[in-house]
Amino acid sequence: FCCSPFYPTARVGRLPGRRLRMRRLFGLAKEEPAPKEAPSLSEASSRIEEQVANLETKIQKTDEEIKSLVAKGSSNPTAKARALQAMKKKKMYEQQRDQLLGTQFNVENLAFQQEQAEITAMTVKAMADGHKTLQDKIKETDIGSVDKLMDDMADLQDEMKAMNEALAAGTEVDGATEDELAAEFAKLEEEAA
């Protein structure tokens, strides 16, 4: 009874007999391979471009085949049927090419939108950083100190103006006034004339 192939053994560290036989029969479970990285949009676009070029080549070959079969049409009875089959094949290739071109457009459009989103995100971050810097600079500057600075500048300008006026004010030379000097100047003009 205890050695029956269907009776699980109670040994420590060993699998029950039935499991052990199943493992021998089917083997261990295989590890799943790591998932492949998704292709980038540019890779997808270039792969689609290769497929479109491949289909273009097939379309050209099929077109040449159709022309040769049509030329043989009168001498070969199966040429017409083969030409019709080739025309169907050509139409199928053209439909596949058109679908791939539409898909490629969508992929390139998505790549463009992705670039625009990255530019927008970068711009928003730059604007947020600029806004923060501006706020920090405004916090560093006290409006009261700016008002005081402007008042001090106005006072200094007034003082400088007063000094310049004082320096430019006429001075009496040996007791002569401005009127006496003007009269003497007029007298010199008459003599010179």
Side-chain angles (χ1 to χ4, degrees):
F1 178 102
C2 70
C3 296
S4 168
F6 299 106
Y7 183 75
T9 59
R11 290 186 226 162
V12 177
R14 307 229 24 196
L15 293 174
R18 186 172 191 189
R19 279 191 177 167
L20 185 60
R21 281 190 300 280
M22 294 302 250
R23 181 180 276 182
R24 286 181 189 159
L25 180 63
F26 295 110
L28 293 174
K30 294 182 182 179
E31 291 184 25
E32 292 185 25
K36 292 183 179 178
E37 208 173 292
S40 69
L41 292 175
S42 61
E43 290 172 348
S45 181
S46 64
R47 178 75 173 115
I48 291 171
E49 185 68 34
E50 290 172 12
Q51 282 297 109
V52 167
N54 186 22
L55 286 171
E56 289 288 344
T57 305
K58 288 181 179 181
I59 289 170
Q60 287 176 349
K61 286 181 182 178
T62 308
D63 199 32
E64 291 170 5
E65 181 184 353
I66 291 169
K67 289 177 184 176
S68 69
L69 289 171
V70 168
K72 294 178 186 176
S74 59
S75 63
N76 189 345
T78 61
K80 181 178 179 181
R82 290 179 65 198
L84 290 174
Q85 285 296 330
M87 291 170 79
K88 288 179 185 177
K89 190 189 316 181
K90 179 183 173 187
K91 290 288 182 193
M92 179 187 68
Y93 289 152
E94 289 172 342
Q95 287 175 348
Q96 288 176 351
R97 178 199 58 199
D98 294 343
Q99 287 175 347
L100 284 175
L101 288 173
T103 302
Q104 184 178 25
F105 173 78
N106 290 337
V107 167
E108 289 174 355
N109 189 22
L110 182 59
F112 176 74
Q113 289 174 357
Q114 189 177 29
E115 288 174 12
Q116 289 299 314
E118 289 171 3
I119 290 170
T120 301
M122 179 183 65
T123 303
V124 167
K125 185 178 181 328
M127 289 175 72
D129 290 346
H131 182 259
K132 185 180 181 304
T133 303
L134 182 61
Q135 281 181 332
D136 292 344
K137 294 297 180 188
I138 289 174
K139 285 178 184 175
E140 290 175 10
T141 308
D142 179 31
I143 189 68
S145 64
V146 172
D147 285 340
K148 184 177 181 322
L149 176 66
M150 294 307 291
D151 289 341
D152 291 346
M153 291 292 291
D155 291 343
L156 283 175
Q157 286 176 349
D158 290 341
E159 287 177 20
M160 288 298 293
K161 185 177 178 184
M163 284 186 218
N164 286 332
E165 287 175 358
L167 289 173
T171 57
E172 292 184 19
V173 179
D174 295 331
T177 64
E178 289 284 327
D179 292 335
E180 292 172 349
L181 290 174
E184 187 177 338
F185 180 75
K187 184 178 177 183
L188 288 173
E189 278 184 329
E190 286 177 17
E191 289 176 7

